[in-house]
Amino acid sequence: METTSNIPERMREIELFGVSALFTENQIPPDGIYPGMSLYELQNDDGRFMGSVLTPVPIPVLENGPRQLEPGDLVMDTGAGYYTPSEFEEKYLCPELDGMDRYGKED
């Protein structure tokens, strides 16, 4: 249930640095982050907002500033579909799967 999140929309599943994530072209306010997920904003070289990304695990940051995307770091065409954060959590973080948390792609 989306009770603690201000994110009612279904978001596109993508991959960012090899991690399955959710993408939206809308900005997500800091108080709207789904519990247990990390929020990142994609910007172009001019600093213009391009989209918000939610990941189930934090992405390591660089000491010298924002991470630059290299070819293959962002995969938008995964064909996986659109999910709300709670549906995404159910897909990848369900504790019922062999008693272990799951991150990343399904087998």
Side-chain angles (χ1 to χ4, degrees):
M1 182 172 1
E2 305 288 318
T3 57
T4 58
S5 174
N6 294 329
I7 309 170
E9 71 177 291
R10 290 171 133 7
M11 299 172 67
R12 182 179 184 177
E13 185 174 347
I14 64 167
E15 286 183 24
L16 182 63
F17 300 111
V19 175
S20 291
L22 293 174
F23 171 82
T24 179
E25 293 178 355
N26 301 315
Q27 285 190 295
I28 298 173
D31 64 345
I33 301 171
Y34 191 78
M37 298 191 88
S38 298
L39 172 65
Y40 301 94
E41 289 189 346
L42 300 179
Q43 300 176 349
N44 67 8
D45 289 337
D46 296 333
R48 194 176 73 228
F49 176 82
M50 302 297 288
S52 297
V53 176
L54 292 174
T55 62
V57 294
I59 293 176
V61 295
L62 302 177
E63 292 179 18
N64 60 348
R67 284 185 86 156
Q68 298 294 318
L69 292 174
E70 302 294 332
D73 288 345
L74 176 64
V75 179
M76 299 290 286
D77 189 21
T78 63
Y82 291 78
Y83 302 93
T84 64
S86 63
E87 291 169 338
F88 185 80
E89 177 183 47
E90 180 74 22
K91 181 176 178 180
Y92 287 108
L93 304 175
C94 181
E96 299 170 1
L97 300 170
D98 300 326
M100 297 173 56
D101 287 344
R102 294 186 61 198
Y103 300 103
K105 300 180 202 175
E106 288 191 35
D107 296 332

